[in-house]
Amino acid sequence: MTSIAIPKRYRPAAFAGVAAAVASGCLLAPSAHADAGDVPRKADHRALDTFARIADDVLSRRTQALVEDRAGRGGPDTGAGTTRMSGRLRTDEDAALRSLRARKSRLAQLGEAYTKADTRVDVDRATVIGSTATVQVTASSTLTYKKVREGGPRTTAFSTRQELKFAGTKDGGWRLTAITSRDQGPVAVNEPSVARTKTVDDDGNQYPDGTPASTKYPTTPMPSGKTAGAYNYSAMAQYAEKYWRSYNPAYRKFNGAGGDCTNFVSQALKAGGWKPVPGSAYDYRNWWYESAGQSTSWVGVNEWAWFTLSNRRAPNLASVYQLDVGDVLQVDFDKNGSKDHTMLVTYRDRQGMPYLTYHSTDTYRRSLASVLASYPDARYFAYRT
């Protein structure tokens, strides 16, 4: 295998091991900050109903803030609503809704709008200790695209995991005090917070860096540029769209060990015909997965880029709008020299807009415009597989 000329790179910590299994049920271990006399207990049905209702109200308002306004319509996106919450959180939520409405404006500039939003919240676990509660929920959302692109998909969908903190009130109710994302990937289109990026040290070695892609919005559709070859791009897309939310049990998950995004993309590429390259697990020029382990390039964002560029398996594209089905997009959210996230194109409409499917945060057919609107200042790397 021949390496290409490569500049100095940041090397992230190796992804080793499997995410620890988490016990199911509604009862969790006591908080480290709980008083010694407080004993965790299950939330009763009334409390669970309250937690679900509050979570649904707040998270639905976030999604609704992205929906195209209609004349004369008052909507739940006009403020933080009537949900009982702390003063600081209410201020934060009002700011979050303003941020999401600004994102809606950026989306419109990129030719995208939504006409309908639906969010469903399920309570995964609830712990009550004294007069406080910690509740973990999964919110499944669907946004309906406005018909502005010929051949575009009807909807995009995503699943987010949130942790909510509650404080008991004197009348026996609950007040929401905090909301924190439990996902490791980029924010969903209805989340206002910044990306959770990795800080890594330069080890003094050199690695394939790649060339960032232009994000300039084209005035005319770019041709696909795909030609018939050894890979089955439809199989890549079908695999990703089958397992975007229901993970393939044949593979390990890495949600708790740096994120599952690159592991997921590697699976899809293998399904489409990418052949393994055996060798040391820690040599980025190798790429493989076995029952007992995998190469770091199979699961690591940067290592995958180094593998594919050093092996000339997937060169960089000049523009993100050249991406087609089966191609890969990576993002360096804060431009610190270390890539943070990997996504696969699973759909491309007749006007040339790519749609991305990925893990961490689990997402189905999110438009490139949506990603760019959420992270307009990030650095993007596009790969032709």
Side-chain angles (χ1 to χ4, degrees):
M1 294 169 288
T2 303
S3 295
I4 59 178
I6 46 182
K8 184 174 290 188
R9 286 291 298 116
Y10 292 92
R11 185 174 184 87
F15 290 90
V18 184
V22 181
S24 61
C26 287
L27 190 62
L28 299 179
S31 166
H33 301 290
D35 294 333
D38 287 335
V39 177
R41 67 183 188 274
K42 284 186 177 181
D44 58 29
H45 289 297
R46 181 180 177 184
L48 287 173
D49 288 344
T50 300
F51 298 150
R53 177 182 55 76
I54 292 175
D56 182 81
D57 179 57
V58 174
L59 298 177
S60 292
R61 287 178 184 279
R62 290 182 175 184
T63 314
Q64 190 66 35
L66 297 164
V67 173
E68 184 180 58
D69 293 325
R70 292 181 177 86
R73 177 182 64 85
D77 62 331
T78 55
T82 58
T83 289
R84 301 170 80 175
M85 61 179 68
S86 66
R88 173 174 292 183
L89 182 60
R90 183 170 296 280
T91 299
D92 290 344
E93 277 303 298
D94 284 339
L97 294 175
R98 289 194 298 272
S99 172
L100 289 168
R101 287 192 287 270
R103 184 175 299 170
K104 178 175 64 176
S105 297
R106 292 196 296 273
L107 280 164
Q109 293 171 4
L110 294 171
E112 182 163 309
Y114 310 116
T115 59
K116 182 181 178 182
D118 178 71
T119 294
R120 186 187 71 252
V121 174
D122 295 311
V123 175
D124 301 323
R125 340 188 156 170
T127 309
V128 178
I129 302 177
S131 60
T132 64
T134 300
V135 181
Q136 295 184 349
V137 304
T138 298
S140 301
S141 300
T142 301
L143 284 163
T144 301
Y145 287 116
K146 184 178 180 180
K147 298 297 183 181
V148 294
R149 296 191 181 97
E150 183 182 0
R154 187 177 69 86
T155 62
T156 180
F158 47 94
S159 179
T160 61
R161 302 178 307 147
Q162 309 285 337
E163 182 173 275
L164 289 73
K165 299 285 189 180
F166 292 88
T169 59
K170 292 181 179 179
D171 60 2
W174 293 97
R175 182 177 70 253
L176 183 62
T177 60
I179 306 175
T180 307
S181 173
R182 295 187 290 136
D183 292 314
Q184 294 177 300
V187 295
V189 66
N190 69 340
E191 289 185 289
S193 58
V194 298
R196 292 155 289 283
T197 57
K198 304 178 185 70
T199 300
V200 294
D201 296 324
D202 188 347
D203 66 1
N205 295 322
Q206 291 186 336
Y207 305 97
D209 188 30
T211 304
S214 168
T215 58
K216 184 178 179 180
Y217 187 54
T219 55
T220 56
M222 284 190 172
S224 137
K226 283 279 192 181
T227 57
Y231 303 134
N232 185 336
Y233 300 111
S234 294
M236 295 177 185
Q238 290 169 7
Y239 181 95
E241 294 193 347
K242 178 179 180 179
Y243 293 111
W244 75 271
R245 183 161 49 189
S246 300
Y247 287 31
N248 187 346
Y251 290 94
R252 292 179 290 278
K253 300 177 184 178
F254 293 86
N255 300 89
D260 198 65
C261 61
T262 308
N263 175 46
F264 178 61
V265 168
S266 290
Q267 294 171 33
L269 294 173
K270 181 181 177 183
W274 271 37
K275 302 300 182 184
V277 177
S280 168
Y282 299 100
D283 186 338
Y284 65 80
R285 292 167 296 185
N286 306 323
W287 182 81
W288 52 267
Y289 181 98
E290 295 177 353
S291 59
Q294 67 286 317
S295 65
T296 56
S297 61
W298 181 278
V299 293
V301 180
N302 288 288
E303 287 89 343
W304 182 90
W306 302 337
F307 162 76
T308 193
L309 291 172
S310 64
N311 285 271
R312 302 182 187 276
R313 187 167 285 193
N316 284 137
L317 294 169
S319 168
V320 293
Y321 290 99
Q322 290 176 303
L323 287 162
D324 203 349
V325 172
D327 289 339
V328 173
L329 181 67
Q330 292 190 316
V331 191
D332 177 1
F333 290 116
D334 58 359
K335 297 183 179 178
N336 72 344
S338 179
K339 301 175 183 69
D340 302 295
H341 185 56
T342 308
M343 299 171 278
L344 185 78
V345 177
T346 60
Y347 190 84
R348 191 175 194 262
D349 68 27
R350 287 192 287 273
Q351 289 184 303
M353 178 62 69
Y355 294 80
L356 300 138
T357 299
Y358 53 90
H359 279 180
S360 307
T361 305
D362 301 342
T363 298
Y364 169 79
R365 288 192 183 182
R366 182 176 183 178
S367 72
L368 174 64
S370 172
V371 176
L372 296 178
S374 296
Y375 298 104
D377 299 320
R379 181 178 289 127
Y380 294 85
F381 295 81
Y383 301 85
R384 168 57 39 82
T385 61

